[in-house]
Amino acid sequence: MRARVTIVLILFLAISAWSQTSKKGFDLENATIPIEDIKDGGPPKDGIPAIAEATFLPISQATYLKAGDLVMSVSYAGTTRAYPIRILNHHEIVNDQIEDLAFSVTYCPLCGTGMVFDRTIEGEITSFGVSGLLYQSDVLLYDRATESLWSQLMLKSISGERVGHSLRWLPSEFMTWSSWKELYPDGEVISDKTGYRRNYKRTPYKGYETSDDVYFPVPFYRKDLGIKDWILGVEINGESTAYDLRLFESGRVYGDAVGGQSIKIQYDPQSRYASVTDAKSGEAVSHVFAFWFAWQAFHPDTRLLSSKEAVERKDDL
């Protein structure tokens, strides 16, 4: 009898220990962030289904989009594709490939962050899924090859076999549908016939952008801006800068330096389009729009461009 009780106790302790280092089936034993800060977002693993095989349409057939709808855009090898936020709000990840470039378009509705990553890791093309877990309100991706968890805004894996590995952040663009059509008349856009039963005419996050509510707790290190104020974030060589979008005048070009790299920034409030390029080569520089609360949570020491600094820097390149 005593032996049986001992066995039951050992099993109970083992299960308790496992439950403390596992969430939604993901092994967090070697997590590089506090496990208690990894939150259950609600849907189960793959409950928000990533799109694996997207179908694309010419502009003339994308009748489900309106002029003011926002899209992310990727250009490579002469091909440009648009990924509407209407679609990404329901899927958060699109695994895609153009020619030899395999990439994942990722979007976190809670942080407002759209980022594109190379999905060739250690020479192997993998695909990413939505884990159903969050860290500091930001989506945690997982790769299907090893089920390692990856933080979108940290740009690296935080647990699993590939813990510590970094994501290669690829340049992308963000703008209104009407502006994208004008800029890329021969481009193609993802079809709303995704194979999933979703109402792409509505958003699951209605009212979220305009409220001060944050669904999941985040550390508030900085109160320089309002919680949901939009910033444009740039991170180069370990240094980050946030640019308050209200500083930009349409058509104005600002020069700056981040992480030892000189860049040019242009933002048009009407089209919501930003251009960030290397000041010398003219090559695109990766950047992201984000709610201030999310950016400051991951970059508490970020430099924030104030209105005074913006005035001093305008037209200096």
Side-chain angles (χ1 to χ4, degrees):
M1 181 67 179
R2 183 176 298 176
R4 183 178 299 176
V5 171
T6 301
I7 292 173
V8 170
L9 179 60
I10 292 173
L11 288 173
F12 173 77
L13 293 174
I15 292 172
S16 298
W18 178 83
S19 65
Q20 292 174 8
T21 58
S22 175
K23 292 187 178 183
K24 294 187 184 290
F26 293 100
D27 185 2
L28 303 175
E29 188 171 359
N30 65 343
T32 57
I33 58 177
I35 294 176
E36 61 270 20
D37 290 342
I38 299 176
K39 305 300 183 181
D40 187 333
K45 173 185 175 183
D46 294 322
I48 297 175
I51 296 177
E53 297 182 3
T55 302
F56 291 87
L57 304 171
I59 288 173
S60 60
Q61 295 181 24
T63 56
Y64 73 96
L65 290 169
K66 298 179 180 179
D69 285 351
L70 298 173
V71 303
M72 289 180 63
S73 178
V74 175
S75 297
Y76 183 74
T79 296
T80 299
R81 289 176 176 170
Y83 306 83
I85 301 304
R86 278 183 182 273
I87 301 293
L88 292 171
N89 268 334
H90 292 269
H91 296 282
E92 300 190 8
I93 299 174
V94 177
N95 293 296
D96 200 5
Q97 184 162 345
I98 300 175
E99 300 291 339
D100 61 336
L101 179 64
F103 56 92
S104 292
V105 178
T106 72
Y107 183 70
C108 179
L110 298 182
C111 295
T113 45
M115 305 174 77
V116 178
F117 302 112
D118 187 339
R119 58 188 181 95
T120 299
I121 302 173
E122 296 182 310
E124 176 188 356
I125 294 178
T126 188
S127 62
F128 286 92
V130 182
S131 69
L133 298 171
L134 302 167
Y135 174 60
Q136 296 188 159
S137 204
D138 187 41
V139 59
L140 286 177
L141 325 171
Y142 79 93
D143 73 78
R144 299 189 188 282
T146 69
E147 297 213 334
S148 299
L149 288 175
W150 301 75
S151 168
Q152 183 200 43
L153 276 168
M154 287 179 71
L155 305 170
K156 64 182 180 181
S157 175
I158 56 89
S159 72
E161 183 179 322
R162 287 174 168 158
V163 66
H165 282 59
S166 297
L167 289 164
R168 186 165 77 96
W169 186 10
L170 302 175
S172 61
E173 296 174 303
F174 187 90
M175 69 192 85
T176 61
W177 172 237
S178 60
S179 298
W180 187 87
K181 290 192 295 182
E182 183 176 348
L183 195 59
Y184 300 109
D186 297 322
E188 50 191 34
V189 58
I190 194 170
S191 170
D192 59 341
K193 302 299 188 293
T194 61
Y196 297 94
R197 298 186 64 181
R198 296 291 188 277
N199 183 0
Y200 298 118
K201 294 181 180 180
R202 62 173 295 276
T203 172
Y205 305 94
K206 185 177 181 180
Y208 178 77
E209 180 179 339
T210 56
S211 77
D212 287 333
D213 293 334
V214 176
Y215 291 172
F216 296 89
V218 298
F220 286 97
Y221 302 110
R222 306 275 296 271
K223 298 182 179 179
D224 310 63
L225 298 175
I227 290 174
K228 296 281 182 67
D229 283 349
W230 283 104
I231 62 94
L232 184 151
V234 176
E235 183 178 5
I236 301 173
N237 298 326
E239 294 185 14
S240 69
T241 297
Y243 303 89
D244 184 349
L245 293 187
R246 292 171 297 190
L247 304 177
F248 294 95
E249 302 171 23
S250 182
R252 181 75 71 181
V253 178
Y254 294 88
D256 200 9
V258 180
Q261 182 176 351
S262 296
I263 60 176
K264 289 183 178 181
I265 306 170
Q266 188 172 8
Y267 176 70
D268 176 32
Q270 183 174 355
S271 65
R272 302 277 300 265
Y273 174 68
S275 170
V276 183
T277 58
D278 182 277
K280 296 180 180 178
S281 68
E283 294 183 356
V285 173
S286 297
H287 58 279
V288 63
F289 292 108
F291 293 129
W292 171 244
F293 83 84
W295 185 260
Q296 63 84 44
F298 284 89
H299 303 280
D301 297 321
T302 192
R303 171 172 159 263
L304 174 65
L305 190 67
S306 71
S307 56
K308 179 181 178 180
E309 289 173 322
V311 170
E312 291 174 347
R313 281 181 166 77
K314 66 184 179 182
D315 291 339
D316 64 355
L317 286 179

